[in-house]
Amino acid sequence: MIQNAYVGMGSNLGDRAGYLLLAVRGMLDSSLDVIRLSSVYETAPVENEHQPAFLNMVAELRGTTLPSPEQLLARLLRIEYSLGRTREVPKGPRTIDLDLLIFKDEHASTEFLTLPHPRLPARRFVLLPLNELVPNLIHPTLGKSVRELLDNTSDKSAVRRWRP
């Protein structure tokens, strides 16, 4: 049974690694128990390809201390805002992007929140770091492990461990 929540993190503007670090700090300052972090991966942009490369990673949050999914998403959005995230260009460059990927075994489909994240199975840049943390985690609606989703994704974009 899924006990924890997983947050995808990405940055492709300014000090990308610094923004990832500040986002982790923001989660800790927001009383979220960050218990593990994946490695950092450098990835090509997807969909809107005319922008800088991203640094991506996944954070695992402790399930026993989590607020509701809506409250968690609100905290993540506040962290994005505090780090200068703007949304003028859909899927455009950003200082930080925080996506709630999986929240325990919850399902949601509202105007504000969809759980699990709907594009998770089609995003190699999220599946690879998530696989590093929890390869045997079963996707709450698809019934497949993260490893299986990674092996079967149609996304073949380059995702490399970042070496600063």
Side-chain angles (χ1 to χ4, degrees), residues 12 20-21 34 57 63 87 92 97 111 114 122 141 144 151 161 163-164:
N12 74 335
L20 292 176
L21 180 63
V34 178
M57 64 188 300
R87 297 178 185 273
D97 184 29
E111 185 178 330
T114 304
T141 57
K144 294 184 178 184
D151 288 345
R161 192 171 292 202
R163 309 259 187 235

Side-chain angles (χ1 to χ4, degrees), residues 37-126:
L37 298 169
S38 73
S39 299
V40 177
Y41 292 85
E42 190 161 33
T43 65
V46 176
E47 292 181 38
N48 183 352
E49 298 171 4
H50 301 290
Q51 58 182 317
F54 279 84
L55 290 184
N56 291 98
M57 64 188 300
V58 170
E60 182 176 12
L61 308 181
R62 185 181 316 278
T64 56
T65 59
L66 290 172
S68 72
E70 293 79 12
Q71 290 171 328
L72 175 54
L73 183 57
R75 290 183 196 184
L76 296 176
L77 291 172
R78 279 195 300 275
I79 294 165
E80 285 184 348
Y81 179 77
S82 73
L83 295 177
R85 169 75 190 265
T86 59
R87 297 178 185 273
E88 288 98 31
V89 178
K91 299 185 184 1
R94 58 207 85 155
T95 54
I96 194 70
D97 184 29
L98 302 175
D99 289 327
L100 184 52
L101 304 172
I102 294 177
F103 185 98
K104 301 183 180 187
D105 57 358
E106 301 230 0
H107 308 266
S109 185
T110 68
E111 185 178 330
F112 184 61
L113 176 65
T114 304
L115 283 173
H117 194 287
R119 291 183 301 280
L120 173 62
R123 297 284 197 250
R124 186 173 180 77
F125 65 84
V126 173

Side-chain angles (χ1 to χ4, degrees), residues 22 25 28 44 61 108 156:
L22 288 171
R25 177 63 187 260
L28 294 169
L61 308 181
K156 302 303 178 198

